[in-house]
Amino acid sequence: MKRVGLVALSLAIIAAAMASAKWGTRWTVPQARSAAAGYRLVAAWDGSNVPAGRFQRPIGIARSPSRDLYVTDARQRVIRFSPEGAFRGQWGRQGEGSGEFSNAVGVAVARDGAVYVSDYEQDRIQQFEAEGRFVRQFGSSGSGPGQFNAPAALAIDGTGFMYVADFYNHRIQKLRDDGSPQMVIGRPGRIGNGALHYPTGVTVTPQRVLVVADAYNYQLQWFDLEGTPSRRVGYHLFWVWPRPVSSSAGFAVPTDAAIGPDGLIHVADSGNHRVVMLSSNGSYVAEWRIADADPNIHSPEHLAVSADGSTVYATDLARDRVLVLRVTPPGSPF
C-alpha cells in the first residue's frame, strides 16, 4: 500500500507540474514563421589555405570589430581569417605555457581588438593582442569565484565585462575587465528559471540582455546583465527524457547562439544538426540543416554573425570545416 501511495503521489506531482509549467517539464518555441526567411550555404572553409594544416575539429569562432574571424581547433591554435576566408595568421601550440593550450575552445574579441581564449582542460583564459601576442592569463581550477571547471565559451559586452560559460560548474561567471570575478549568474539544476545544466554558449544582445545556450536543459535562457532570469525557450520532457525534435518545437543540445545587428538570434542546435533562426524575442522563424551531418557527433558547435547580419559562420567540428551561410531575414523581398 505504501508503494502504491508513493507512486500515486509522484504521478500527482508530475501532473501538477506539467499543468502549471512551473516545474520546467515542457517549454516550446513560439512561432513566427516567415516564408521568405532562411539560410543558404555559400561556402565551406576546410582550412586548406592555412600553411600549418587544415582544420581539425574547429569549435570556437568569434568576429572582431575589424570584421575578421578567429577560430579555435583541436590543433591547439587560434586562426585568423578575413570575412571572405583569406588566411590572416595563427598562433598557439600544445602545452601549458603562455600562448599554449590543452583544449582551446571559447574565443571572444573585445571592442579594442583584444582576443580572449578559454582552455577547457587548463581552466584558464588567456588574453592576446589581435595579432596573437600573449598579454596575460587568469583563472584556475575549482568552483570558487574566478575559478573554472571547463570554461566552454566567452562573451564580452560593450562595457568590457566578460561572461564565461563555466560548463561543469553549471553557471555563467561575470568577470571585470581585469579578469577578477564580479558575480555568478544562474545556478546548477534542471528545474525552473535560472537553473543551468552544462551551459555551452553565451552571448549579449544589442539590448544588453544575456542569452545562454543551456545545452543539456535543451533550451535557451535569457538573463539581464545583473543575473536575473527573464525567459526561456526550448523543449524537454521530465528533463531526463529529451525529445530531439525536427522542426520548430524545440532543441536537442543547443550549444551556442549568436545575435545579429537586426536582433535575429541564430542558434547552433547541434543535436539536430541545424542552425535555427529566432526573432529577437525567441520566436521560431526558419532553419537550415547540415545535409551530410555525422549522426554520431553533435554539430554545428559555435556561431558568429557578420557585422551587417548578412552572414552566419558555423563551426562544423564533425566535418572539420566552417560553414558560411547567407541570411535572408524575415520580410526580405529576395
Side-chain angles (χ1 to χ4, degrees), residues 23-219:
W23 205 23
T25 55
R26 179 182 175 93
W27 292 89
T28 57
V29 179
Q31 305 295 293
R33 286 181 181 273
S34 169
Y39 300 97
R40 178 171 57 91
L41 181 67
V42 295
W45 303 344
D46 62 3
S48 57
N49 60 341
V50 179
R54 298 185 180 208
F55 288 133
Q56 182 178 335
R57 296 178 65 83
I59 184 167
I61 188 166
R63 177 181 56 82
S64 73
S66 69
R67 300 173 59 240
D68 281 353
L69 296 154
Y70 292 84
V71 180
T72 61
D73 77 356
R75 294 184 188 272
Q76 309 312 329
R77 61 185 178 176
V78 181
I79 316 154
R80 184 180 182 182
F81 296 93
S82 75
E84 296 73 35
F87 174 73
R88 297 250 201 235
Q90 75 165 53
W91 71 87
R93 61 182 180 181
Q94 181 77 40
E96 298 181 357
S98 299
E100 297 177 335
F101 307 102
S102 290
N103 193 352
V105 173
V107 58
V109 187
R111 295 179 69 178
D112 62 2
V115 181
Y116 296 84
V117 182
S118 67
D119 195 312
Y120 188 88
E121 301 292 338
Q122 295 182 22
D123 296 323
R124 65 173 177 169
I125 295 169
Q126 296 186 68
Q127 179 186 341
F128 302 89
E129 292 182 350
E131 303 298 329
R133 188 183 73 84
F134 173 82
V135 177
R136 64 192 174 111
Q137 68 174 42
F138 50 88
S140 61
S141 299
S143 58
Q147 295 182 316
F148 308 114
N149 191 351
L154 310 172
I156 302 172
D157 69 21
T159 60
F161 284 104
M162 177 181 293
Y163 304 84
V164 183
D166 195 359
F167 185 73
Y168 281 114
N169 281 328
H170 307 291
R171 64 186 182 182
I172 303 299
Q173 287 208 64
K174 183 176 181 178
L175 309 178
R176 303 180 184 93
D177 57 7
D178 62 359
S180 62
Q182 169 77 5
M183 66 180 301
V184 169
I185 295 174
R187 56 181 174 80
R190 311 299 303 272
I191 302 171
N193 290 336
L196 300 174
H197 195 58
Y198 301 109
T200 53
V202 59
T203 189
V204 182
T205 75
Q207 294 74 35
R208 294 177 54 78
V209 175
L210 198 68
V211 179
V212 176
D214 188 10
Y216 288 91
N217 275 332
Y218 313 100
Q219 61 188 2

Side-chain angles (χ1 to χ4, degrees), residues 34-41 264 266 275 277 285-288 310 312 325-332 334:
S34 169
Y39 300 97
R40 178 171 57 91
L41 181 67
L264 288 177
H266 307 278
V275 177
M277 184 188 301
V285 177
E287 66 182 75
W288 177 87
S310 67
V312 168
L325 303 174
R326 193 73 70 230
V327 178
T328 300
S332 173
F334 303 106

